[in-house]
Amino acid sequence: QAMVLSIGRWLGAKNEAAVLPLSIVHCNILLYAGTFWMCQPVMPFLSKELGADVLTFGYLQTAFSFVQLVGGPVIGRLCDVKGAKVALQISVVGSVLSYLLLGASSTVTLLFLSRLPTLVMHAMQAAQAFVTDLSVPETRAASLGRLSLSYGIGMIVGAPLGGFLSRSLGYSAVATVGGLILACMAPINWACLTNTRVASSNEGKDSKGL
């Protein structure tokens, strides 16, 4: 009990019931960042292995950036309409699908196709919605900062892990492993998280904002 309260205070949970979902959200971001940065070091080498030149790799990165740009507002709207749980789950599933397609890519065309699911690869937005709803208002900024800390830890661990796995298993296998790791969060999210953003929106439905 004391440990739960300590974790809750560190996460900025507004009550004891919020400790578990906030902990799960942090795990999502840790693995989301870790698997993303696992794949980043191997992307240039995998592209080259499949016959892409420097210019083609540039187009690949541009495609990723464009799809992300389009998808950001989509996930934001999804958080408001369907709730943070649905948005987070879609982001996780989209990321997993992207990694599995990347791992299965045998041509440059498939590499580009693997970028399409990144349209919904915005787990950080959904996680921030969760933290906003489940944290104490007075310490909400600190709670959001600690969410970024979880992302940073995933980044630090993921990049060297991706390099290590690429030497042991090959470039394509890194993406497949990343997809399988992140996929573990999907059933946990579905079973343990609730749509807090929808609940909060319903409570304040008389406030139309600007």
Side-chain angles (χ1 to χ4, degrees), residues 28-29 32-33 36 63-79 83-96 98-99 115-130 147 151 182:
N28 271 275
I29 293 304
Y32 173 78
F36 177 80
F64 170 70
S65 300
F66 177 76
V67 170
Q68 285 266 289
L69 180 67
V70 173
V74 173
I75 291 297
R77 181 60 179 162
L78 198 60
C79 277
K85 175 182 177 177
V86 173
L88 180 62
Q89 193 75 324
I90 289 176
S91 295
V92 168
V93 171
S95 301
V96 169
S98 175
Y99 296 145
R115 302 294 85 191
L116 290 180
T118 64
L119 177 78
V120 295
M121 198 171 167
H122 293 276
M124 195 65 173
Q125 284 189 28
Q128 288 170 338
F130 266 112
L147 188 66
Y151 186 96
L182 190 57

Side-chain angles (χ1 to χ4, degrees), residues 2 10 16 33 50 56 85 100 105 132 141 144 165 191 197 205:
W10 189 83
E16 191 173 338
L50 296 178
T56 303
K85 175 182 177 177
L100 294 180
S105 294
T132 300
L144 289 167
L165 290 176
R197 174 134 307 238
K205 60 185 177 182

Side-chain angles (χ1 to χ4, degrees), residues 14 16 20 31 35 37-38 45 65 95 114 124 136 146 174 204 207 210:
K14 64 182 180 181
E16 191 173 338
L20 178 61
L31 294 181
T35 51
W37 288 99
M38 272 175 60
F45 300 100
S65 300
S95 301
S114 74
M124 195 65 173
V136 179
R146 286 168 184 144
V174 173
S207 177
L210 297 177

